[in-house]
Amino acid sequence: MKNIIDEQALVQRAMQARSRAYAPYSNYTVGAAVLSEDGTIFDGCNIENATYPATVCAERVAIFKAVSEGRRQLQAIALVTENGGSPCGICRQVMREFAPELVVLIADSTGDYRRTTLAELLPDSFGPEDLLDA
Ligand code: THU
């Protein structure tokens, strides 16, 4: 069952999560909030590491929290950065795994946001069906 997406509320949750970012190396703090189809919102922040590649993006933290709590049907994600930056390629691929029709809200630190979709951000994508059909 799809929810009516309260976009402002989702962006607000992402803003709150951003305040918990651990980003001492880049100082680029990111917050994310993902709406699952039962209406539950899971949030996340980026968590950096002294071994840089061990860093995890905010979007993946939020999505993995949802999945690890049993929610694989994801409807929308909001992310907030200082400058309204777009989600990285690895996060787009993780979104693709669980939510090819995901709505993506990309916000800056004032809360202004633009709405796009994963299909726009990751066209002609590779996904689970490609393996399962093989
Ligand atoms: N980052 C995210 O959390 N999400 C993205 O989509 C882009 C990048 C984080 C990773 C790292 O902690 C910092 O932003 C700079 O790359």
Side-chain angles (χ1 to χ4, degrees), residues 26 28 30 46 48 55 57-59 87-88:
S26 72
Y28 191 76
V30 187
N46 55 330
E48 298 189 344
T55 293
C57 292
E59 301 93 310
C88 86

Side-chain angles (χ1 to χ4, degrees), residues 29-112:
T29 58
V30 187
V34 64
L35 174 68
S36 66
E37 285 209 343
D38 74 355
T40 312
I41 295 173
F42 296 86
D43 59 20
C45 58
N46 55 330
I47 304 171
E48 298 189 344
N49 193 279
T51 299
Y52 288 11
T55 293
V56 188
C57 292
E59 301 93 310
R60 276 178 288 148
V61 171
I63 292 168
F64 292 157
K65 280 168 71 175
V67 172
S68 69
E69 295 298 327
R71 273 60 155 223
R72 294 183 189 169
Q73 311 283 352
L74 309 178
Q75 212 177 313
I77 190 168
L79 70 141
V80 178
T81 60
E82 185 63 35
N83 58 352
S86 201
C88 86
I90 296 172
C91 289
R92 293 178 195 204
Q93 188 63 41
V94 169
M95 293 171 193
R96 170 65 180 84
E97 185 74 18
F98 298 105
E101 295 174 14
L102 194 68
V103 171
V104 182
L105 308 174
I106 301 175
D108 67 21
S109 58
T110 72
D112 283 345

